[in-house]
């Protein structure tokens, strides 16, 4: 039996409303179904996500789709579980509330064929606001909801820059060599976030001498329900970034942790200047979220 070249891994938690759209976008690819497989890793969903996935898989049996479960809570656990089961030489990670462009798989295959020295790839993530982008949203805060566009052309990431894990591809051999995602950074742990698993992955990845590229033509759209963008939600995301940096830097050294404090204070100063700029430009609604983002990240770094 011919093995697929690509394994698309989706970790899911209570996304019954959107997981069907994600699967449908992957089913309707221009690439031959024999060239890829899709693995859904259910991470303890309590809604109808299991039923939606199983029904979709049953109806679309001409594409290899596998439904798995992972009891250990957190995206890092789920992604690693999917990677362990994957048969493809290239692992692709996508979110459960995202939809892939029809040529998504085809472009990933083409990239790795044309860049044999590349170890990993990141692509464009476009937020799809429902019902529309809020007036207070800015470029800097939009990163919290997955907006990502690194370059207008295909290019290698500069040191310290990396893809988002919701649209990334990596050679399985390199993923296995690295040991996958750091489960000390699970993404979600109980009611709090401990993020930064993608950053940690790629910093370790490039430390091994691996090349990581960005290709803007490898695109997904990510659903953003504006009604869910509450103060509490944005705090969870921003503080989760800080908590993740606390864990990651302390795994390196205390000096690295305190250096991160200095970096965050510097960025807070920059956010204050940016907030003033938005206000003077007649967009005061954009000022407070930018500043709160940095304050909440600092609170997370302090584990508060």
């Amino acid at each position: 039996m011919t093995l697929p070249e690509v394994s698309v891994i989706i970790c899911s938690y209570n996304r019954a409303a959107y997981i069907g759209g994600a699967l449908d976008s992957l089913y309707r690819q221009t690439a031959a179904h024999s060239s890829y497989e899709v693995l859904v890793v259910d991470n303890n969903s309590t809604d109808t996500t299991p039923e939606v996935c199983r029904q979709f898989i049953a109806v679309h049996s001409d594409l290899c789709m596998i439904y798995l479960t992972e009891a250990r809570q957190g995206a890092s656990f789920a992604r690693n579980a999917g990677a362990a089961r994957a048969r493809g030489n290239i692992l692709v990670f996508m979110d459960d509330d995202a939809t892939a462009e029809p040529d998504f798989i085809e472009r990933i295959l083409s990239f790795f064929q044309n860049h044999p020295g590349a170890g990993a790839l990141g692509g464009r993530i476009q937020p799809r606001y429902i019902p529309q982008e809020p007036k207070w949203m800015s470029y800097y805060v939009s990163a919290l909801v997955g907006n990502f566009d690194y370059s207008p052309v295909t290019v290698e990431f500069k040191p310290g820059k990396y893809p988002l894990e919701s649209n990334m591809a990596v050679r399985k051999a390199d993923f296995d060599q690295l040991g996958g995602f750091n489960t000390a950074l699970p993404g979600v742990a109980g009611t709090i976030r401990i993020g930064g698993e993608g950053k940690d992955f790629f910093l370790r990845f490039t430390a091994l001498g691996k090349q990581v590229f960005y290709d803007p033509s490898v695109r997904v759209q990510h659903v953003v329900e504006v009604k869910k963008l509450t103060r509490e939600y944005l705090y969870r995301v921003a503080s989760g970034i800080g908590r993740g940096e606390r864990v990651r830097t302390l795994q390196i050294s205390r000096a690295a942790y305190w250096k991160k404090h200095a970096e965050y204070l510097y960025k807070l100063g920059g956010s204050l200047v940016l907030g003033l700029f938005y206000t003077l430009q007649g967009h005061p609604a954009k000022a407070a979220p930018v500043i709160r983002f940095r304050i909440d990240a600092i609170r997370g770094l302090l584990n508060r």
Side-chain angles (χ1 to χ4, degrees):
M1 181 177 64
T2 303
L3 295 178
E5 184 64 19
V6 171
S7 296
V8 184
I9 299 166
I10 301 177
C11 60
S12 187
Y13 177 71
N14 289 346
R15 282 292 188 274
Y18 296 110
I19 187 69
L23 294 176
D24 188 61
S25 74
L26 291 170
Y27 179 79
R28 299 179 184 278
Q29 291 290 302
T30 55
H33 281 176
S34 59
S35 66
Y36 67 102
E37 64 179 359
V38 178
L39 300 95
V40 179
V41 186
D42 190 329
N43 202 198
N44 301 311
S45 293
T46 57
D47 65 357
T48 60
T49 293
E51 290 80 1
V52 172
C53 291
R54 292 190 177 108
Q55 182 177 6
F56 190 95
I57 291 171
V59 173
H60 301 82
S61 58
D62 55 322
L63 172 62
C64 180
M65 293 187 176
I66 302 169
Y67 174 80
L68 310 171
T69 59
E70 172 54 60
R72 293 170 295 178
Q73 194 68 44
S76 291
F77 289 111
R79 292 187 180 113
N80 287 349
R85 182 72 178 271
R87 299 177 299 158
N89 293 321
I90 300 169
L91 305 178
V92 175
F93 296 92
M94 192 178 94
D95 277 1
D96 56 357
D97 55 358
T99 55
E101 293 297 308
D103 58 357
F104 180 67
I105 300 295
E106 186 177 349
R107 288 187 177 278
I108 290 172
L109 285 168
S110 176
F111 172 84
F112 281 102
Q113 289 168 0
N114 294 328
H115 299 80
L121 170 69
R124 174 81 168 96
I125 304 173
Q126 298 171 289
R128 179 161 63 92
Y129 294 100
I130 299 175
Q132 61 188 5
E133 181 177 341
K135 293 181 179 179
W136 52 262
M137 185 62 70
S138 66
Y139 169 80
Y140 299 95
V141 177
S142 69
L144 295 179
V145 296
N147 184 31
F148 188 74
D149 188 12
Y150 181 72
S151 167
V153 297
T154 300
V155 65
E156 185 175 1
F157 279 95
K158 294 180 180 179
K161 302 296 182 180
Y162 45 85
L164 293 189
E165 60 273 17
S166 50
N167 183 7
M168 60 170 274
V170 59
R171 295 188 190 274
K172 190 175 191 304
D174 292 332
F175 184 93
D176 291 342
Q177 180 186 353
L178 195 65
F181 287 97
N182 182 355
T183 54
L185 303 169
V188 177
T191 59
I192 65 171
R193 290 183 60 87
I194 305 176
E197 64 272 22
K199 177 178 183 177
D200 174 84
F201 179 91
F202 283 110
L203 290 180
R204 291 186 292 123
F205 193 81
T206 53
L208 294 177
K210 308 292 185 180
Q211 288 184 300
V212 183
F213 284 79
Y214 175 79
D215 185 342
S217 71
V218 178
R219 293 178 296 158
V220 302
Q221 290 191 18
H222 178 249
V223 169
V224 180
E225 292 184 88
V226 174
K227 67 181 180 181
K228 293 184 177 180
L229 300 181
T230 62
R231 175 73 183 90
E232 179 183 4
Y233 173 84
L234 293 173
Y235 165 75
R236 287 185 66 216
V237 176
S239 65
I241 294 172
R243 286 192 187 92
E245 284 297 87
R246 176 186 176 88
V247 172
R248 186 186 69 82
T249 55
L250 284 175
Q251 286 183 337
I252 299 172
S253 67
R254 295 290 298 185
Y257 172 59
W258 289 111
K259 183 179 180 181
K260 184 58 61 174
H261 277 260
E263 177 189 326
Y264 271 25
L265 288 173
Y266 175 80
K267 289 182 176 179
L268 174 59
S271 72
L272 293 171
V273 173
L274 184 59
L276 178 61
F277 173 79
Y278 279 135
T279 300
L280 294 176
Q281 290 294 313
H283 303 289
K286 296 184 177 183
V290 169
I291 297 169
R292 283 202 302 264
F293 168 28
R294 291 301 173 189
I295 292 174
D296 291 343
I298 291 173
R299 292 175 65 186
L301 187 66
L302 296 171
N303 203 27
R304 296 177 182 174

